[in-house]
């Protein structure tokens, strides 16, 4: 398949986060471009990158990072770095650990050309990543850091990005609900003011999804999502406590129901919370992993009018 051809549509349950088309503008340099990989990386997951190599390109890099901090620089599990400016163009793959590069792995046949469009597919297996360019296998690279640590994609250098795609299973696959529309994180994307409030003029109905995406602050204390009715009663509260690393539903009378699951919030890391309304309750997914449900009467859900978010986070997206 040529990079300009459109692939067959994928089943909904393959889509982790919808493709991002023209992250800034197709006519200008769009990098650096940084986005979270919701659910992280694991065996079987794929990332696609479609774009154009400028005529004067020297090099670009695609980094699968362990976090998004600037200082200190995050570990980079996989560094994919095509270089065009040398006598013999080539690709370097490497790993950055504790701000130190490891031994380089090089491939002499580049498979990419200046002035040409491309379609790159990164396929993640149990022990190595395989890369294809324009439908042809190009290289494989064994992991030197656990794939599970990767949660951020960074694209830098001389490249025009047209589309980035992420393929995986849906955290609500058993319910057949398509993953909600995503909003990409840009390196300089504005954050929303916290505490943050969003109106729910029609309440919540089966099939409706609340999406919350952001960045945990360096020294976090807690994160609270509360759903309120017109009388300012709070029948539904979800609270993450960083002190004891617990996630819990809080009942209106203060009773806490702990969620039995790994605590997936980390300082200086992106996160995504999904609340899926279903008949008689809410389903929760965090960073692409389903974490069960809580029971809420449908009449109560329909009477909700406000979502409030507070705590030790930067918010980049709130979608109701």
């Amino acid at each position: 398949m040529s990079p300009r051809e459109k692939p067959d549509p994928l089943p909904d349950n393959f889509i982790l986060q919808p493709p991002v088309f023209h992250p800034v503008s197709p006519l200008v340099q769009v990098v650096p471009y940084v986005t979270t990989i919701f659910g992280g990386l694991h065996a079987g997951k794929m990332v696609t990158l479609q774009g154009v190599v400028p005529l004067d390109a020297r090099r670009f890099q695609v980094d699968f990072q362990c976090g998004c901090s600037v200082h200190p620089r995050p570990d980079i599990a996989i560094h994919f770095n095509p270089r065009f400016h040398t006598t013999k163009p080539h690709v370097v793959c490497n790993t950055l650990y504790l701000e130190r590069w490891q031994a380089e792995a090089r491939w002499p046949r580049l498979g990419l050309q200046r002035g040409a469009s491309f379609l790159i597919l990164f396929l993640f297996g149990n022990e190595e990543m395989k890369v294809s360019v324009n439908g042809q296998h190009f290289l494989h690279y064994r992991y030197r850091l656990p794939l599970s640590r990767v949660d951020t994609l960074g694209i830098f250098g001389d490249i025009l990005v047209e589309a980035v795609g992420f393929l995986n299973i849906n955290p609500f696959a058993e319910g057949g609900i398509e993953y909600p529309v995503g909003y990409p994180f840009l390196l300089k994307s504005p954050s929303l003011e916290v505490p943050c409030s969003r109106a729910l003029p029609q309440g919540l109905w089966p099939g409706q999804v609340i999406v919350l995406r952001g960045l945990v602050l360096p020294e976090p204390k807690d994160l609270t999502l509360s759903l309120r009715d017109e009388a300012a009663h709070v029948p539904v509260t979800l609270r993450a406590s960083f002190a004891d690393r617990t996630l819990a539903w809080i009942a209106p009378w203060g009773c806490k129901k702990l969620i039995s699951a790994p605590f997936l919030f980390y300082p200086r890391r992106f996160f995504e919370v999904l609340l899926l309304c279903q008949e008689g309750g809410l389903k929760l997914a965090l960073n692409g992993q389903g974490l069960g449900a809580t029971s809420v009467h449908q009449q109560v859900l329909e009477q909700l009018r406000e979502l409030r978010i507070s705590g030790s986070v930067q918010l980049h997206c709130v979608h109701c």
Side-chain angles (χ1 to χ4, degrees):
M1 183 180 72
S2 75
R4 289 298 184 186
E5 291 180 4
K6 291 186 177 180
D8 293 333
L10 290 160
D12 288 343
N13 63 341
F14 273 48
I15 301 174
L16 172 66
Q17 53 196 95
V20 179
F21 295 102
H22 303 311
V24 180
S25 166
L27 303 178
V28 298
Q29 201 74 14
V30 302
V31 292
Y33 177 71
V34 177
T35 184
T36 190
I37 304 173
F38 297 115
L41 286 184
H42 53 73
K45 194 161 186 176
M46 295 179 285
V47 175
T48 62
L49 175 63
Q50 186 169 341
V52 177
V53 179
L55 286 170
D56 59 350
R58 293 178 58 81
R59 56 191 287 168
F60 72 85
Q61 64 193 64
V62 180
D63 291 338
F64 294 93
Q65 304 176 183
C66 308
C68 58
S69 64
V70 177
H71 301 291
R73 191 175 182 183
D75 289 344
I76 300 174
I78 301 168
H79 168 79
F80 175 82
N81 177 209
R83 300 177 180 180
F84 304 91
H85 64 288
T86 59
T87 303
K88 295 182 178 180
H90 60 280
V91 170
V92 168
C93 286
N94 207 341
T95 296
L96 183 71
Y97 179 60
L98 298 179
E99 299 190 271
R100 292 189 177 184
W101 289 109
Q102 309 300 298
E104 287 187 349
R106 294 191 175 212
W107 284 264
R109 296 179 179 84
L110 188 53
L112 296 163
Q113 295 183 355
R114 286 170 167 165
S117 58
F118 63 80
L119 177 64
I120 301 176
L121 172 64
F122 301 92
L123 173 61
F124 300 94
N126 290 318
E127 298 180 349
E128 65 181 11
M129 173 192 71
K130 295 180 180 179
V131 179
S132 69
V133 178
N134 299 336
Q136 299 294 318
H137 174 74
F138 179 51
L139 63 81
H140 58 273
Y141 180 72
R142 289 184 66 86
Y143 308 134
R144 302 174 184 177
L145 293 177
L147 196 62
S148 59
R149 291 189 56 203
V150 177
D151 62 5
T152 303
L153 169 67
I155 304 172
F156 311 87
D158 304 322
I159 180 177
L160 297 175
V161 178
E162 295 182 341
V164 180
F166 305 87
L167 308 180
N168 187 28
I169 60 172
N170 188 317
F172 302 129
E174 69 277 9
I177 302 299
E178 184 178 354
Y179 214 83
V181 173
Y183 297 84
F185 285 107
L186 302 181
L187 192 64
K188 298 181 180 179
S189 61
S191 58
L192 305 174
E193 186 175 350
V194 179
C196 179
S197 177
R198 287 290 184 271
L200 301 170
Q202 306 299 322
L204 291 181
W205 299 84
Q208 189 172 349
V209 182
I210 292 174
V211 184
L212 175 67
R213 291 170 176 161
L215 184 71
V216 179
L217 296 182
E219 298 181 359
K221 295 182 179 179
D222 55 38
L223 170 64
T224 301
L225 283 70
S226 59
L227 292 162
R228 303 169 180 245
D229 60 20
E230 290 181 339
H233 297 144
V234 188
V236 182
T237 301
L238 176 67
R239 181 170 298 155
S241 172
F242 294 92
D244 55 10
R245 299 184 60 79
T246 59
L247 191 63
W249 299 104
I250 310 297
W253 50 91
C255 182
K256 181 188 297 186
K257 179 184 177 184
L258 292 177
I259 297 171
S260 179
F263 191 77
L264 300 177
F265 291 99
Y266 299 94
R268 303 174 190 259
R269 292 285 190 94
F270 287 120
F271 68 89
E272 176 195 61
V273 174
L274 301 182
L275 288 177
L276 169 65
C277 181
Q278 59 180 4
E279 191 72 39
L282 294 169
K283 275 189 173 182
L284 170 67
L286 175 58
N287 294 351
Q289 298 187 31
L291 300 183
T294 186
S295 298
V296 183
H297 195 279
Q298 184 59 38
Q299 185 177 0
V300 174
L301 293 172
E302 294 171 8
Q303 292 174 351
L304 297 173
R305 291 296 180 267
E306 182 187 12
L307 167 68
R308 286 192 185 180
I309 304 110
S310 61
S312 310
V313 297
Q314 263 185 10
L315 287 178
H316 292 268
C317 163
V318 178
H319 176 73
C320 301

